[in-house]
């Protein structure tokens, strides 16, 4: 039996993501994380439960955030209960890639996630990486498989097959976690087992609870209970099972709605009851000590913005105890802790076909240094006496040719246990290229005639671990020491060098410090155990050098500088439509995303951002990360670290700051030889007045018929003005840039550059084919109904509805563009959060919204539209019914600006080209919204900015289907 002394804890679902800019609701500073932890330490709290995953965040970045959060907790004497996934995906705290399964009540998973074992594809590798990142971390107490899983739909109620599917899920996942982190506790994260029990066959929930919680990988039993719940009996069932099995239990969430009950009395009674019943912790929902709502404070939250916050803090503190951090060891209880079961190792099989085993294959495996590949789960199960944990590393076959396996890992050899695989080509003709099994750097090339002959070693860094692949018996090497290679890059040619008596390849794989012992090469593991038919996509970047502005460069406050990093794409994906985006720290400027050029795997690239030294003196750091085309940020933190000094008083200093491209944004298509005018908007950011002598002069790049000098506008400090130049596009297709340097009236240059960048495209002036469709398809996929139509009476503004509402039962329906266009604006609501997305959730009525001007000015609510995307459709892209209606208004060859409003998620960025298959985002409930819906509004104009005033509206039914 495992015994855990009582301790106090709280829920802080968002704790790992404070200050994370990729998520719309986390605009709170990263310092809030430490502030929260310090407050909790003062209350005597020992446990914080937070969620690990978010649907917008890639696995690597998730693992990084979780580890950083655990670092903070450990520094403050606390431990984490890490919830690996959330069934309630409406809030976004779920494993990425399952949006099509979050279709049930409150965005729960459809039961196919369990019954069809769809969790194996993305969930299992994702959570395995997170667990691996913190497997030995002192700040981790327990991993939950997920938050409040349930079998849905419940009409009919779950049957025997449904219940068994959940047990299979819990068994495989819990054993996977225990194999990686054997000293950490594991629980299901359920409310209670009635939600996943077999109810059709009337199996008592208590019976099912015993079946589930008796699994050897489940160490503890989780329970949730809120004031409004009526499931105390089922909670009692699971508590009895916990006592019968000798396993600890805890209350993962409890709470009551603010204003509906005396919460002080309720929390005091609940903590007393659960402590007396034997729970080791009971955690109130949603603690938040910040003075303003940072998007976490729902009706049940334990938050400073609620009037009873300080009193509730006193209640929790009165139940605190000074207990040490808990670690699962044999001494932790009166017996031994639960251990994962070990299947019997599969004996070595005869030489195969050379096809690498897939994680979900059904064939037999080979004993891997005392381990066996578990073909059902895609994991390795440790066997006594061998290496103790499971590598997250994956490799591909080194041979693009068919082969037989002559000798397998761990088989007896004349020199002891065989340390790798000996593979022989089926047909020995031509050059038999040997490829790298994973990306890495060549560390050794040697020739050892008695053994490996000519061999190459490649070092691979992976999730903080180091692996080395060895390629022996080569006839020729294609690489040199220090080379970076991609997975699949040629390393050499298979041969018969060394002790080989036939043309072959000997492949050895080390896991340094973790692999098997007693071999001629230490720390080896079975290559077949981690070999996959195809490597999964992986976004990854590695910092190479600071090209400009080394760390701790000194700047005066307000100085403008360009920070450039050199990085390598060390993943296996091509960066196309990727962006460099502000991540955390000091923004040092607008904090906007910067497009990244196309970068193939293995390539080096320089990434630059224009920054401004902040007014705060001292050491300042701005952190930047890479966002992929799907909007996910992966582990790529790049830092600009500077030391800021105050501006020298009385010193004249000329500075300029770029504000906007008024015309011809970067990369605009221009016809060959076409004349055009480039206009920039700039700010005088120095302390001098720009008089008639200030100018900018040609510095570099394609001249494009530019004059040598262009006058700067007369501006006083902090004033903004426009500067223009007439240019002529080159005649040859391609991308061109002309750059200018500013000078003051004394002829001295100052620190700034201005450039015009275009793409010469011969097709620009060619007539585009006109859309032949009569109407575009509905922008909404999935089930929906139509609510307010065009010109319907509404209780705000002028009383008329300006679009069409597509109404859904819940959020998340995909929204598509339907035709070719360009994203004119992509703006997130600065106040909307998944828990509090709209006016009503923030206590704002229509009347007060009107009084505050939330409908008619660009506030954080985006004019009441919430999360908003505006797509501009040219005349040629419009369907016939829309063109006919515009022609009747004398707007032939005009534009249609389509507003997609109240979105949950946005998947496109300003300036991005879209087409009929482009998903703009997902249907939501943000801004001026009383339920999940898409507000679709069509505005017309002759020019690019005519959509603002005066507004000319088009009935969306003339453009889109309903």
């Amino acid at each position: 039996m495992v015994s855990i002394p009582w301790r106090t804890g709280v829920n802080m679902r968002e704790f790992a993501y404070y200050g994370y800019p990729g998520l719309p609701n986390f605009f709170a500073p990263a310092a809030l994380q430490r502030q929260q932890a310090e407050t909790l330490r003062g209350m005597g709290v020992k446990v914080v439960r937070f969620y690990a995953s978010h649907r917008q965040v890639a696995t690597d970045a998730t693992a990084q955030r979780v580890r950083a959060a655990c670092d903070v907790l450990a520094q403050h004497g606390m431990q984490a209960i890490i919830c690996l996934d959330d069934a309630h995906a409406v809030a976004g705290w779920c494993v990425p890639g399952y949006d099509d399964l979050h279709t049930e009540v409150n965005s729960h998973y459809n039961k196919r996630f369990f019954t069809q074992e769809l969790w194996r594809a993305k969930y299992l590798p994702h959570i395995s990486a997170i667990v691996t990142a913190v497997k030995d971390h002192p700040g981790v107490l327990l991993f939950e498989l997920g938050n409040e899983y349930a079998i849905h739909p419940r009409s009919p109620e779950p049957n025997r097959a449904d219940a068994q599917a959940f047990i299979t899920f819990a068994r495989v996942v819990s054993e996977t976690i225990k194999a990686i982190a054997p000293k950490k506790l594991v629980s299901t994260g359920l409310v209670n087992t009635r939600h996943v029990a077999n109810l059709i066959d009337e199996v008592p929930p208590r019976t099912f609870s015993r079946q589930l919680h008796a699994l050897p990988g489940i160490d503890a039993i989780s329970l949730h209970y809120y004031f409004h719940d009526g499931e105390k009996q089922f909670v009692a069932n699971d508590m009895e099972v916990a006592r019968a099995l000798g396993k600890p239990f805890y209350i993962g969430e409890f709470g009551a709605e603010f204003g509906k009950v005396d919460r002080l009395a309720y929390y005091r009674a609940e903590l007393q009851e659960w402590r007396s019943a034997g729970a080791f912790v009971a955690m109130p929902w949603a603690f938040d000590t910040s003075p303003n709502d940072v998007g976490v404070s729902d009706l049940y939250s334990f938050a400073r913005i609620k009037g009873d916050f300080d009193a509730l803090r006193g209640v929790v503190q009165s139940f605190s105890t000074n207990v040490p951090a808990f670690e699962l060891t044999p001494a932790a209880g009166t017996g031994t802790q639960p251990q994962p079961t070990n299947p019997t190792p599969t004996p070595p099989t005869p030489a195969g076909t050379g096809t690498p085993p897939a994680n979900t294959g059904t064939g037999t495996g080979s004993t891997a240094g005392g381990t066996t590949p578990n073909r059902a789960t895609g994991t390795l199960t440790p066997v006594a006496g061998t290496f103790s944990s499971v590598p997250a590393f994956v490799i591909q076959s080194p041979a693009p040719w068919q082969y037989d396996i002559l000798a397998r890992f761990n088989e007896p050899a004349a020199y002891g246990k065989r340390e790798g695989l000996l593979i022989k080509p089926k047909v020995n003709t031509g050059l038999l290229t040997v490829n790298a099994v994973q990306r890495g750097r060549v560390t050794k090339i040697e020739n050892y005639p008695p053994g490996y002959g000519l061999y190459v070693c490649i070092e691979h860094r992976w999730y903080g671990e180091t692996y080395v692949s060895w390629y022996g018996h080569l006839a020729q090497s294609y690489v040199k020491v220090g080379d970076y290679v991609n997975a699949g890059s040629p390393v050499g040619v298979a041969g018969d060098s060394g002790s080989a008596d036939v043309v072959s390849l000997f492949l050895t794989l080390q896991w340094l410090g973790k692999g098997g012992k007693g071999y001629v090469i230490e720390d080896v593991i079975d290559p077949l155990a981690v070999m996959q038919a195809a490597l999964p996509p992986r976004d990854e970047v590695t910092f190479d050098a600071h090209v400009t502005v080394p760390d701790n460069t000194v700047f005066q406050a307000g100085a403008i500088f360009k920070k450039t990093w050199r990085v390598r794409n060390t993943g296996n994906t091509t960066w196309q439509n990727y962006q460099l985006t502000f991540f955390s720290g000091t923004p040092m400027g607008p904090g906007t995303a910067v497009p990244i050029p196309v970068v193939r795997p293995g390539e080096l690239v320089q990434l630059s951002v224009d920054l401004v030294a902040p007014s705060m003196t001292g050491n300042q750091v701005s952190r930047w990360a890479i966002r992929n085309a799907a909007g996910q940020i992966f582990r790529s933190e790049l830092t600009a670290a500077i030391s800021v000094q105050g501006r020298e008083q009385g010193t004249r200093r000329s500075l300029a700051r770029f504000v906007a491209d008024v015309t011809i944004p970067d990369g605009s298509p221009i016809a060959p030889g076409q004349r055009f005018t480039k206009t920039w908007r700039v700010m005088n950011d120095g302390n001098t007045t720009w008089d008639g002598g200030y100018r900018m002069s040609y510095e570099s790049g394609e001249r494009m018929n530019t004059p040598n000098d262009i006058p700067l506008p007369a501006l006083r400090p902090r004033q903004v003005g426009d500067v223009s130049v007439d240019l002529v596009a080159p005649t040859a297709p391609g991308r061109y840039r002309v750059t200018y340097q500013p000078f003051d009236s004394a002829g001295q240059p100052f620190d700034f550059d201005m450039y015009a960048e275009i793409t010469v495209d011969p097709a620009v002036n060619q007539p585009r084919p006109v859309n032949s469709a009569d109407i575009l398809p509905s922008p909404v996929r999935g089930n929906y109904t139509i609510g307010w139509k065009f010109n319907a009476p509404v209780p705000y503004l002028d009383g008329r509805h300006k679009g069409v509402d597509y109404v859904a039962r819940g959020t998340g329906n995909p929204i598509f563009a339907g035709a070719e266009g360009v994203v004119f604006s992509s703006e997130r609501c600065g106040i909307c959060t998944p828990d509090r997305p709209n006016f009503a959730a923030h206590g704002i009525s229509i009347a007060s919204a009107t009084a505050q001007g939330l409908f008619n000015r660009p506030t954080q609510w985006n004019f009441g539209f919430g999360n908003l995307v505006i797509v501009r459709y040219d005349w040629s892209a419009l369907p016939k019914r829309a063109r006919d209606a515009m022609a009747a208004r004398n707007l032939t060859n005009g534009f249609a600006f389509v507003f997609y409003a109240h979105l949950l998620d946005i998947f496109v960025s300003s300036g991005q080209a879209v087409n009929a298959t482009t998903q703009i985002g997902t249907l939501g409930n943000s801004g001026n919204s009383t339920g999940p819906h898409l507000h679709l509004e069509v505005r017309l104009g002759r020019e690019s900015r005519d959509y603002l005033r005066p507004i000319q509206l088009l009935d969306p039914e003339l453009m889109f289907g309903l």
Side-chain angles (χ1 to χ4, degrees):
M1 174 178 176
V2 175
S3 177
I4 307 176
W6 167 264
R7 58 206 62 215
T8 51
V10 296
N11 273 272
M12 293 177 68
R13 180 181 62 187
E14 299 83 353
F15 183 71
Y17 289 88
Y18 283 133
Y20 193 85
L23 308 181
N25 54 325
F26 298 114
F27 46 85
L32 179 61
Q33 190 179 62
R34 188 166 297 277
Q35 174 192 330
Q36 301 271 32
E38 290 171 355
T39 302
L40 291 173
R41 177 167 59 182
M43 293 165 53
V45 166
K46 295 296 183 181
V47 180
V48 171
R49 178 176 180 259
F50 67 82
Y51 291 16
S53 303
H54 196 283
R55 71 190 336 154
Q56 296 181 16
V57 183
T59 300
D60 285 359
T62 293
Q64 183 183 29
R65 299 299 299 182
V66 168
R67 184 168 186 86
C70 291
D71 288 343
V72 173
L73 293 180
Q75 290 164 8
H76 289 80
M78 292 179 280
Q79 290 181 292
I81 290 180
I82 301 175
C83 183
L84 296 167
D85 187 21
D86 187 13
H88 299 278
V90 64
W93 302 99
C94 51
V95 171
Y98 288 107
D99 285 2
D100 59 329
L101 290 178
H102 289 296
T103 57
E104 304 304 321
V105 58
N106 291 327
S107 294
H108 264 274
Y109 283 106
N110 182 279
K111 67 179 180 182
R112 293 187 298 113
F113 180 76
F114 303 109
T115 59
Q116 297 180 16
E117 297 190 355
L118 301 179
W119 46 268
R120 292 186 186 275
K122 300 171 184 175
Y123 168 93
L124 192 61
H126 176 85
I127 66 102
S128 296
I130 296 170
V131 173
T132 299
V134 292
K135 60 184 178 5
D136 299 316
H137 201 293
V140 178
L141 171 64
L142 182 146
F143 294 104
E144 292 180 342
L145 309 188
N147 175 59
E148 299 190 349
Y149 285 130
I151 300 295
H152 287 290
R154 301 186 73 82
S155 180
E157 292 280 13
N159 59 24
R160 181 181 293 109
D162 298 331
Q164 186 55 49
F166 188 85
I167 285 183
T168 299
F169 162 80
R171 176 181 56 78
V172 172
V173 176
S174 64
E175 291 186 7
T176 298
I177 295 173
K178 295 299 291 184
I180 299 171
K183 293 185 178 181
K184 304 303 180 185
L185 298 167
V186 177
S187 80
T188 61
L190 289 174
V191 174
N192 60 67
T193 46
R194 180 186 180 277
H195 293 195
V196 289
N198 173 12
L199 302 180
I200 281 186
D201 299 318
E202 298 183 348
V203 174
R206 186 180 305 175
T207 300
F208 177 81
S209 177
R210 189 176 185 97
Q211 294 171 350
L212 173 65
H213 291 125
L215 292 173
I218 301 297
D219 302 309
I221 297 176
S222 70
L223 301 165
H224 294 187
Y225 192 79
Y226 283 83
F227 180 80
H228 62 270
D229 287 341
E231 298 186 342
K232 207 97 176 186
Q233 178 56 47
F234 304 112
V235 171
N237 288 340
D238 289 340
M239 286 180 7
E240 290 183 17
V241 168
R243 296 186 184 103
L245 293 174
K247 294 188 177 183
F249 70 93
Y250 66 101
I251 313 306
E253 293 178 20
F254 78 89
E257 186 175 345
F258 177 71
K260 295 293 182 67
V261 66
D262 180 354
R263 296 210 302 177
L264 271 65
Y266 176 76
Y267 278 47
R268 188 177 292 109
E270 289 293 294
L271 288 166
Q272 181 61 48
E273 177 181 352
W274 298 124
R275 183 174 66 176
S276 300
F280 66 85
V281 68
M283 294 175 283
W285 175 248
F287 178 86
D288 179 20
T289 188
S290 56
N292 301 306
D293 179 16
V294 295
V296 304
S297 300
D298 59 18
L299 297 173
Y300 304 97
S301 63
F302 172 11
R304 181 174 292 281
I305 66 170
K306 301 291 197 301
D308 57 3
F309 176 72
D310 288 327
L312 287 180
R313 284 176 58 195
V315 170
V316 172
Q317 187 167 4
S318 69
F319 284 85
S320 65
T321 54
N322 187 19
V323 291
F326 181 83
E327 184 81 358
L328 184 60
T329 64
T334 57
T336 59
Q337 73 264 30
Q339 295 290 335
T341 56
N342 294 323
T344 303
T346 307
T349 58
T353 63
T355 303
N359 276 351
T360 55
T362 57
T364 58
S366 61
T367 304
T371 69
T372 176
N374 184 333
R375 302 301 183 193
T377 66
T379 64
L380 298 176
T381 303
V383 178
T386 64
F387 56 89
S388 59
S389 53
V390 181
F393 192 57
V394 291
I395 64 173
Q396 65 181 32
S397 171
W401 24 269
Q402 291 292 303
Y403 57 85
D404 292 319
I405 299 179
L406 297 185
R408 293 176 178 266
F409 180 82
N410 219 41
E411 288 181 349
Y415 52 84
K417 297 181 293 183
R418 199 172 299 276
E419 74 281 12
L421 296 175
L422 182 62
I423 62 178
K424 172 182 175 296
K426 284 182 174 293
V427 178
N428 183 10
T429 58
L431 289 177
L432 297 168
T433 302
V434 174
N435 295 334
V437 297
Q438 187 50 271
R439 54 92 176 122
R441 194 173 297 278
V442 178
T443 55
K444 181 186 288 187
I445 302 174
E446 298 285 352
N447 194 339
Y448 184 61
Y452 278 21
L454 177 62
Y455 69 93
V456 171
C457 293
I458 301 176
E459 182 183 84
H460 316 275
R461 302 292 179 114
W462 195 268
Y463 291 122
E465 309 280 0
T466 301
Y467 303 82
V468 182
S469 55
W470 298 55
Y471 310 80
H473 304 323
L474 299 180
Q476 182 180 356
S477 168
Y478 289 156
V479 294
K480 63 182 182 298
V481 172
D483 281 355
Y484 176 87
V485 296
N486 294 319
S489 295
V491 172
V493 178
D496 58 359
S497 62
S499 61
D501 53 11
V502 294
V503 173
S504 57
L505 170 70
F506 198 88
L507 177 68
T508 304
L509 185 62
Q510 291 177 289
W511 183 9
L512 298 187
K514 301 289 184 67
K517 307 298 182 183
Y519 298 82
V520 293
I521 296 175
E522 291 291 276
D523 295 329
V524 289
I525 61 175
D526 183 0
L528 283 180
V530 292
M531 191 178 293
Q532 298 188 0
L535 298 181
R538 176 181 170 87
D539 284 322
E540 185 181 73
V541 65
T542 300
F543 168 80
D544 187 70
H546 294 289
V547 179
T548 65
V549 190
D551 284 350
N552 301 316
T553 298
V554 177
F555 287 101
Q556 288 189 356
I560 296 173
F561 63 95
K562 185 184 293 291
K563 174 67 185 186
T564 302
W565 302 270
R566 187 169 64 236
V567 300
R568 188 186 297 277
N569 178 355
T570 50
N572 58 13
T573 56
T574 296
W575 299 351
Q576 190 160 8
N577 297 323
Y578 283 40
Q579 294 180 318
L580 182 65
T581 185
F582 174 70
F583 182 76
S584 64
T586 306
M588 298 191 196
T592 54
V594 178
I596 292 174
V598 174
V599 185
R600 289 177 291 275
E603 290 184 339
L604 284 168
V605 65
Q606 291 188 8
L607 305 180
S608 299
V609 291
D610 292 318
L611 301 175
V612 181
S615 58
M616 298 174 291
T617 59
N619 294 330
Q620 303 293 332
V621 178
S622 183
R623 299 180 180 88
W624 292 70
I626 296 178
R627 187 195 309 274
N628 65 21
Q632 296 177 329
I633 290 178
F634 55 95
R635 183 160 53 188
S636 54
E637 189 171 300
L638 303 173
T639 60
I642 64 173
S643 179
V644 181
Q645 296 179 349
R647 290 190 179 183
E648 297 177 13
Q649 299 299 316
T651 300
R652 287 173 53 84
R653 192 155 186 259
S654 294
L655 284 175
R657 180 186 298 186
F658 171 80
V659 176
D661 288 310
V662 179
T663 65
I664 318 297
D666 291 348
S668 293
I670 303 291
Q674 179 180 332
R675 293 183 177 275
F676 64 96
T677 300
K678 170 70 182 188
T679 301
W680 302 269
R681 184 156 294 149
V682 296
M683 174 188 289
N684 178 349
D685 201 33
N687 59 8
T688 62
T689 297
W690 296 358
D691 56 26
Y694 278 68
R695 72 189 194 280
M696 61 183 194
S697 299
Y698 169 78
E699 181 182 37
S700 63
E702 181 69 30
R703 294 195 68 100
M704 290 191 264
N705 205 40
T706 184
N708 285 331
D709 293 307
I710 303 161
L712 286 169
L715 298 175
R716 294 189 301 275
R718 307 304 295 170
Q719 277 192 323
V720 173
D722 293 347
V723 57
S724 300
V725 60
D726 294 326
L727 300 171
V728 178
T731 56
R735 198 172 181 99
Y736 298 92
R737 173 186 287 198
V738 55
T739 302
Y740 302 89
Q741 170 74 53
F743 289 83
D744 64 17
S745 55
Q748 296 299 313
F750 51 96
D751 187 17
F752 186 68
D753 60 12
M754 198 97 69
Y755 63 84
E757 186 171 272
I758 64 168
T759 300
V760 176
D761 183 356
V764 166
N765 291 332
Q766 301 300 317
R768 299 180 65 182
V770 175
N771 193 338
S772 61
D774 186 59
I775 196 79
L776 299 182
S778 165
V780 181
R781 302 293 187 269
N783 296 323
Y784 63 89
T785 59
I786 298 298
W788 280 333
K789 289 193 172 185
F790 185 67
N791 266 339
V794 293
Y796 53 88
L797 289 182
D798 60 3
R800 311 304 298 180
H801 197 242
K802 294 177 173 55
V804 169
D805 287 348
Y806 297 75
V807 181
R809 293 181 59 188
T811 59
N813 290 44
I815 309 296
F816 287 85
E820 289 187 358
V822 175
V823 179
F824 190 79
S825 180
S826 174
E827 300 294 337
R828 293 189 179 275
C829 168
I831 295 177
C832 308
T833 69
D835 289 340
R836 305 180 68 197
N838 48 44
F839 286 176
H842 285 257
I844 300 174
S845 66
I846 295 297
S848 61
T850 302
Q852 295 177 51
L854 302 183
F855 291 122
N856 55 16
R857 58 189 173 88
T859 65
Q860 289 178 303
W861 288 101
N862 285 347
F863 300 90
F865 286 121
N867 294 325
L868 172 68
V869 170
I870 304 174
V871 177
R872 190 193 75 183
Y873 296 91
D874 293 347
W875 173 264
S876 60
L878 302 177
K880 183 177 183 305
R881 289 171 61 181
R883 292 198 307 273
D884 290 347
M886 291 177 66
R889 301 189 197 184
N890 197 28
L891 287 173
T892 301
N893 293 322
F895 301 104
F897 297 86
V898 179
F899 284 50
Y900 301 82
H902 310 310
L903 299 177
L904 171 65
D905 288 322
I906 294 175
F907 297 160
V908 293
S909 56
S910 297
Q912 179 179 336
V914 298
N915 57 39
T917 63
T918 303
Q919 185 177 353
I920 288 173
T922 53
L923 183 146
N925 185 25
S926 58
N928 172 32
S929 177
T930 57
H933 76 289
L934 168 73
H935 173 80
L936 189 77
E937 185 172 315
V938 183
R939 301 186 183 186
L940 307 175
R942 289 187 180 279
E943 302 295 335
S944 290
R945 303 195 70 85
D946 278 357
Y947 76 97
L948 284 174
R949 290 289 187 273
I951 295 175
Q952 296 192 64
L953 297 170
L954 179 72
D955 185 345
E957 289 191 56
L958 297 174
M959 187 167 173
F960 292 91
L962 300 184

